[in-house]
Amino acid sequence: MSTPLKGRTAVVTGAGRGLGRAEALELARLGAHVVVNDYGRPGRDGTGGSDATPAELVAEEIRAKGGAATAHCGDVGDHQQAAELVQLAVDTYGSLDILVNNAGILRDRMIFSMTEDEWDSVIHVHLKGHYNTTHFASRHWRERAKATGGPVFGRIVNTSSEAFLAGSAGQPNYAAAKGGIVGLTTSTALALAKYGVTTNVICPRARTRMTEDVFAGFAEPAEGLDPLAPEHVAPLVGYLASPAAAHVNGQLLVVHGGMVAIVERPRVRAKFDTAKDVFTYEELDALLTPHYKDRPPGETFAATDVLGLAHDG
């Protein structure tokens, strides 16, 4: 069996179940030591009354298969707990090589009905959680690079969503957080490249406890692997975490159901120059109004076409 991550150490956040669990298992299968993070509590959140937390159960599952894993039960949206998570990886296995930011929650509501807490809690877990772990991991890699006098091995895989790309009307908090994560990814990719660290972001589509209401209308097949199974996503995370992906940096990829799509960066569609020193209202009206007049009424900056992507097999 190929083990391209042998000797590497990975942190996976929100890995007590669903997508994070599948990613943690895949990284372990590829040879990595895995620190399994999740905020879940014992006896709840799918542990079936067990005294172990979801993170501990996944770590036990990895060890039962011959891998190395340890659990961290904490909130990545908390700055200090994120610092402790990164330090746990370093203290336990000697270094940190791979960071997979997956932890997230949903608090869906239309913008006019959303409460401040529903907004803040989603931003806290998704966007601040990504920042917190990235901050401490990047400091670790920067210090290692300075100590060795050259690049080190570092991989960050962030998690955005098609909700950001397509503009999900009932998820303004989630779409905003996921859009922020894309910005964080491209900024981090440029900042850390000189240290040997790559940073990429995926938009996965998977049936998990968090998305069970979102995909309630899509029945699981009677036979075969569910097209929305997290196992379709995990191999891409394993690849992006590997030495083979050394030249993949600052990229956004959509993945689900046996399909990976590379999303291109935005392009400038049109450009207008003032005929004077500064635009006037009248000049902008004469230029922009006819430009937008014949555009389809529902067409915005959102890339709704990504929702139609599917495996062609």
Side-chain angles (χ1 to χ4, degrees), residues 50-71:
S50 169
D51 290 334
T53 67
E56 289 167 340
L57 290 175
V58 174
E60 289 174 6
E61 188 176 358
I62 291 172
R63 291 193 293 268
K65 295 179 180 180
T70 189

Side-chain angles (χ1 to χ4, degrees), residues 19-213:
L19 194 54
R21 171 183 170 273
E23 292 167 347
L25 291 173
E26 176 68 3
L27 294 175
R29 188 187 72 81
L30 295 175
H33 308 129
V34 184
V35 178
V36 181
N37 161 267
D38 201 276
Y39 196 47
R41 292 161 290 180
R44 302 180 65 179
D45 303 320
T47 62
S50 169
D51 290 334
T53 67
E56 289 167 340
L57 290 175
V58 174
E60 289 174 6
E61 188 176 358
I62 291 172
R63 291 193 293 268
K65 295 179 180 180
T70 189
H72 175 270
C73 304
D75 174 12
V76 292
D78 181 280
H79 202 60
Q80 184 57 40
Q81 291 183 53
E84 293 167 357
L85 170 60
V86 170
Q87 194 60 48
L88 176 62
V90 176
D91 291 345
T92 305
Y93 301 111
S95 69
L96 172 64
D97 305 290
I98 300 157
L99 170 62
V100 179
N101 283 310
N102 166 76
I105 61 172
L106 288 180
R107 297 291 185 270
D108 292 353
R109 192 94 59 184
M110 298 296 283
I111 188 63
F112 43 77
S113 302
M114 182 163 290
T115 66
E116 182 181 12
D117 181 67
E118 288 167 340
W119 175 271
D120 288 347
S121 60
V122 168
I123 299 298
H124 171 85
V125 177
H126 288 274
L127 186 52
K128 191 180 180 189
H130 272 64
Y131 155 73
N132 284 341
T133 53
T134 299
H135 170 74
F136 292 109
S138 64
R139 288 180 59 174
H140 170 72
W141 288 319
R142 183 169 177 263
E143 290 168 2
R144 278 176 51 195
K146 286 187 172 183
T148 59
V152 298
F153 182 95
R155 299 285 186 268
I156 301 175
V157 182
N158 289 332
T159 307
S160 183
S161 170
E162 292 168 296
F164 152 67
L165 291 172
S168 179
Q171 298 179 303
N173 48 2
Y174 185 66
K178 291 307 191 182
I181 288 166
V182 173
L184 174 65
T185 299
T186 54
S187 174
T188 304
L190 293 175
L192 300 186
K194 65 181 179 181
Y195 300 117
V197 179
T198 66
T199 310
N200 294 288
V201 60
I202 63 170
C203 292
R205 190 186 302 180
R207 192 193 310 274
T208 66
R209 194 182 67 153
M210 189 182 83
T211 62
E212 59 187 355
D213 292 336

